[in-house]
Coordinates of all heavy atoms in Angstrom, one line a residue:
V876 N 76.1 1.7 -38.8 CA 77.0 2.9 -38.7 C 78.5 2.3 -38.5 O 79.4 2.7 -39.0 CB 76.7 3.8 -37.6 CG1 77.7 4.9 -37.4 CG2 75.3 4.5 -37.9
L877 N 78.5 1.1 -37.6 CA 79.8 0.6 -37.4 C 80.4 0.1 -38.6 O 81.7 0.1 -38.8 CB 79.5 -0.6 -36.3 CG 80.8 -1.2 -35.6 CD1 81.6 -0.1 -34.9 CD2 80.4 -2.4 -34.7
A878 N 79.6 -0.5 -39.5 CA 80.2 -1.1 -40.8 C 81.0 0.0 -41.6 O 81.8 -0.4 -42.3 CB 79.1 -1.7 -41.6
N879 N 80.6 1.3 -41.5 CA 81.3 2.2 -42.3 C 81.9 3.4 -41.4 O 82.0 4.5 -41.8 CB 80.2 3.0 -43.2 CG 79.7 2.0 -44.2 OD1 80.4 1.4 -45.0 ND2 78.4 1.8 -44.3
L880 N 82.3 3.0 -40.3 CA 82.7 3.9 -39.2 C 83.7 5.0 -39.6 O 83.6 6.0 -39.2 CB 83.2 3.1 -37.9 CG 83.2 3.8 -36.7 CD1 81.8 4.4 -36.3 CD2 83.7 3.0 -35.6
F881 N 84.7 4.5 -40.4 CA 85.9 5.3 -40.6 C 85.7 6.2 -42.0 O 86.7 6.7 -42.4 CB 87.2 4.6 -40.4 CG 87.3 4.1 -39.0 CD1 87.4 2.7 -38.9 CD2 87.5 4.9 -38.0 CE1 87.7 2.2 -37.6 CE2 87.6 4.4 -36.8 CZ 87.8 3.1 -36.5
S882 N 84.5 6.0 -42.6 CA 84.4 6.6 -43.9 C 83.7 7.9 -43.7 O 82.8 8.1 -42.8 CB 83.4 5.8 -44.8 OG 83.9 4.5 -44.9
P883 N 84.0 8.9 -44.5 CA 83.4 10.2 -44.3 C 81.8 10.1 -44.7 O 81.5 9.5 -45.7 CB 84.0 11.2 -45.4 CG 85.1 10.3 -46.0 CD 85.0 9.0 -45.5
I884 N 81.0 10.5 -43.8 CA 79.5 10.4 -44.0 C 78.9 11.7 -43.7 O 79.4 12.5 -43.0 CB 78.9 9.2 -43.2 CG1 79.2 9.5 -41.6 CG2 79.5 7.9 -43.5 CD1 78.4 8.7 -40.7
R885 N 77.7 11.9 -44.0 CA 76.8 13.0 -43.7 C 76.4 12.7 -42.2 O 75.8 11.6 -41.9 CB 75.6 13.1 -44.6 CG 74.8 14.3 -44.1 CD 73.7 14.5 -45.2 NE 74.3 14.8 -46.5 CZ 74.5 16.1 -46.9 NH1 74.2 17.1 -46.1 NH2 74.9 16.3 -48.1
S886 N 76.7 13.6 -41.3 CA 76.4 13.4 -39.9 C 74.9 13.6 -39.6 O 74.2 14.5 -40.3 CB 77.3 14.4 -39.1 OG 76.8 14.3 -37.7
D887 N 74.4 12.8 -38.6 CA 73.0 13.1 -38.3 C 73.0 13.7 -36.8 O 72.0 13.8 -36.3 CB 72.3 11.7 -38.1 CG 72.9 10.7 -37.3 OD1 73.9 11.0 -36.6 OD2 72.3 9.6 -37.1
K888 N 74.1 14.3 -36.5 CA 74.3 15.0 -35.2 C 73.7 16.4 -35.2 O 73.6 17.1 -34.2 CB 75.6 15.1 -34.8 CG 76.2 13.6 -34.4 CD 77.6 13.8 -33.8 CE 78.2 12.5 -33.5 NZ 79.7 12.7 -33.0
G889 N 73.3 17.0 -36.4 CA 72.8 18.3 -36.5 C 73.9 19.3 -37.0 O 75.0 18.9 -37.4
E890 N 73.4 20.6 -36.9 CA 74.3 21.6 -37.5 C 75.7 21.7 -36.7 O 75.8 21.4 -35.6 CB 73.6 23.0 -37.3 CG 74.2 24.1 -38.1 CD 73.4 25.4 -38.0 OE1 72.1 25.2 -38.1 OE2 73.9 26.4 -37.9
G891 N 76.7 22.0 -37.5 CA 78.0 22.0 -36.9 C 78.8 20.8 -37.0 O 79.9 20.7 -36.5
H892 N 78.2 19.7 -37.4 CA 78.9 18.3 -37.6 C 79.0 18.0 -39.0 O 78.0 17.8 -39.7 CB 78.1 17.4 -36.8 CG 78.1 17.6 -35.3 ND1 79.1 17.3 -34.5 CD2 77.1 18.2 -34.5 CE1 78.8 17.7 -33.3 NE2 77.6 18.3 -33.2
Q893 N 80.2 17.7 -39.5 CA 80.4 17.3 -40.9 C 80.3 15.9 -41.1 O 80.3 15.4 -42.1 CB 81.7 18.0 -41.5 CG 81.5 19.4 -41.6 CD 81.9 20.2 -40.4 OE1 82.5 19.7 -39.5 NE2 81.4 21.4 -40.2
G894 N 80.6 15.1 -40.0 CA 80.7 13.6 -40.2 C 82.1 13.1 -40.5 O 82.3 12.1 -41.1
L895 N 83.1 14.0 -40.3 CA 84.5 13.7 -40.7 C 85.3 13.3 -39.5 O 86.5 12.8 -39.7 CB 85.0 14.9 -41.4 CG 84.5 15.4 -42.7 CD1 85.1 16.6 -43.2 CD2 84.6 14.3 -43.7
G896 N 84.9 13.4 -38.3 CA 85.6 13.1 -37.1 C 86.4 11.8 -37.1 O 87.6 11.8 -36.9
L897 N 85.6 10.8 -37.2 CA 86.2 9.4 -37.2 C 87.1 9.1 -38.5 O 88.0 8.4 -38.3 CB 85.2 8.4 -37.0 CG 84.5 8.4 -35.5 CD1 83.5 7.3 -35.5 CD2 85.6 8.3 -34.5
S898 N 86.7 9.7 -39.6 CA 87.5 9.6 -40.8 C 88.9 10.3 -40.5 O 89.9 9.7 -40.9 CB 86.8 10.2 -42.0 OG 87.6 10.2 -43.1
I899 N 88.9 11.3 -40.0 CA 90.1 12.1 -39.5 C 91.0 11.3 -38.6 O 92.1 11.2 -38.8 CB 89.9 13.5 -39.0 CG1 89.3 14.4 -40.2 CG2 91.1 14.1 -38.4 CD1 88.8 15.7 -39.8
V900 N 90.3 10.8 -37.6 CA 90.9 9.9 -36.6 C 91.6 8.6 -37.2 O 92.8 8.4 -37.0 CB 89.9 9.4 -35.5 CG1 90.5 8.3 -34.7 CG2 89.6 10.6 -34.6
H901 N 90.9 8.0 -38.1 CA 91.5 6.9 -38.9 C 92.7 7.4 -39.7 O 93.8 6.6 -39.6 CB 90.4 6.3 -39.7 CG 90.9 5.1 -40.5 ND1 91.3 5.2 -41.8 CD2 91.0 3.8 -40.1 CE1 91.6 4.0 -42.2 NE2 91.4 3.1 -41.3
S902 N 92.6 8.4 -40.3 CA 93.7 9.0 -41.2 C 95.0 9.3 -40.3 O 96.1 9.0 -40.6 CB 93.3 10.2 -42.0 OG 92.3 9.9 -42.9
L903 N 94.7 9.9 -39.2 CA 95.8 10.3 -38.3 C 96.5 9.0 -37.6 O 97.7 9.0 -37.5 CB 95.3 11.2 -37.1 CG 94.9 12.6 -37.5 CD1 94.3 13.4 -36.4 CD2 96.2 13.4 -38.2
V904 N 95.6 8.0 -37.3 CA 96.2 6.8 -36.7 C 97.1 6.1 -37.8 O 98.2 5.7 -37.5 CB 95.1 5.8 -36.2 CG1 95.7 4.5 -35.9 CG2 94.5 6.5 -35.0
R905 N 96.6 6.0 -39.0 CA 97.3 5.4 -40.1 C 98.6 6.1 -40.4 O 99.7 5.6 -40.7 CB 96.5 5.2 -41.4 CG 95.2 4.4 -41.2 CD 95.6 3.0 -41.0 NE 96.1 2.5 -42.2 CZ 96.5 1.3 -42.4 NH1 96.3 0.4 -41.4 NH2 97.0 0.9 -43.5
K906 N 98.5 7.6 -40.4 CA 99.7 8.4 -40.7 C 100.7 8.0 -39.6 O 101.9 8.2 -39.9 CB 99.2 9.9 -40.5 CG 100.3 10.8 -40.8 CD 99.8 12.3 -40.7 CE 100.9 13.2 -40.6 NZ 100.5 14.6 -40.5
S907 N 100.3 7.8 -38.4 CA 101.3 7.4 -37.4 C 101.8 6.0 -37.4 O 102.4 5.5 -36.5 CB 100.6 7.7 -35.9 OG 100.3 9.0 -35.9
Q908 N 101.5 5.3 -38.5 CA 101.8 3.9 -38.7 C 101.1 3.0 -37.6 O 101.6 1.9 -37.3 CB 103.3 3.6 -38.6 CG 104.1 4.5 -39.5 CD 103.7 4.4 -41.0 OE1 103.6 3.3 -41.5 NE2 103.4 5.4 -41.6
G909 N 99.9 3.5 -37.1 CA 99.2 2.7 -36.2 C 98.0 2.0 -36.8 O 97.8 2.0 -37.9
L910 N 97.2 1.2 -35.9 CA 96.1 0.5 -36.2 C 95.0 0.9 -35.2 O 95.3 1.3 -34.1 CB 96.4 -1.0 -36.0 CG 97.6 -1.6 -36.7 CD1 98.0 -2.9 -36.2 CD2 97.3 -1.6 -38.3
I911 N 93.7 0.9 -35.8 CA 92.6 1.3 -34.9 C 91.4 0.2 -35.2 O 91.3 -0.1 -36.3 CB 92.2 2.7 -35.2 CG1 91.0 3.1 -34.3 CG2 91.8 2.9 -36.6 CD1 90.7 4.6 -34.3
S912 N 90.8 -0.1 -34.1 CA 89.5 -0.9 -34.3 C 88.5 -0.3 -33.3 O 88.9 0.5 -32.3 CB 89.9 -2.3 -34.0 OG 90.3 -2.5 -32.7
C913 N 87.2 -0.7 -33.5 CA 86.2 -0.3 -32.7 C 85.3 -1.5 -32.3 O 84.9 -2.3 -33.2 CB 85.4 0.8 -33.4 SG 84.0 1.4 -32.4
R914 N 84.9 -1.6 -31.0 CA 83.9 -2.5 -30.6 C 82.8 -1.8 -29.9 O 83.1 -0.8 -29.3 CB 84.5 -3.6 -29.8 CG 84.9 -3.2 -28.4 CD 85.5 -4.3 -27.4 NE 86.8 -4.7 -27.9 CZ 87.2 -5.9 -28.1 NH1 86.6 -6.9 -27.7 NH2 88.5 -6.1 -28.5
S915 N 81.7 -2.2 -30.1 CA 80.5 -1.5 -29.6 C 79.4 -2.4 -29.2 O 79.1 -3.5 -30.0 CB 80.1 -0.4 -30.5 OG 79.2 0.5 -30.0

Side-chain angles (χ1 to χ4, degrees):
V876 174
L877 192 60
N879 298 303
L880 197 62
F881 299 118
S882 302
I884 58 164
R885 181 174 295 269
S886 176
D887 60 359
K888 291 182 182 179
E890 194 172 322
H892 295 277
Q893 291 84 24
L895 297 174
L897 292 177
S898 176
I899 291 171
V900 165
H901 182 260
S902 294
L903 291 173
V904 170
R905 299 292 296 185
K906 177 181 174 183
S907 301
Q908 306 305 310
L910 305 165
I911 185 169
S912 63
C913 177
R914 73 180 70 222
S915 191

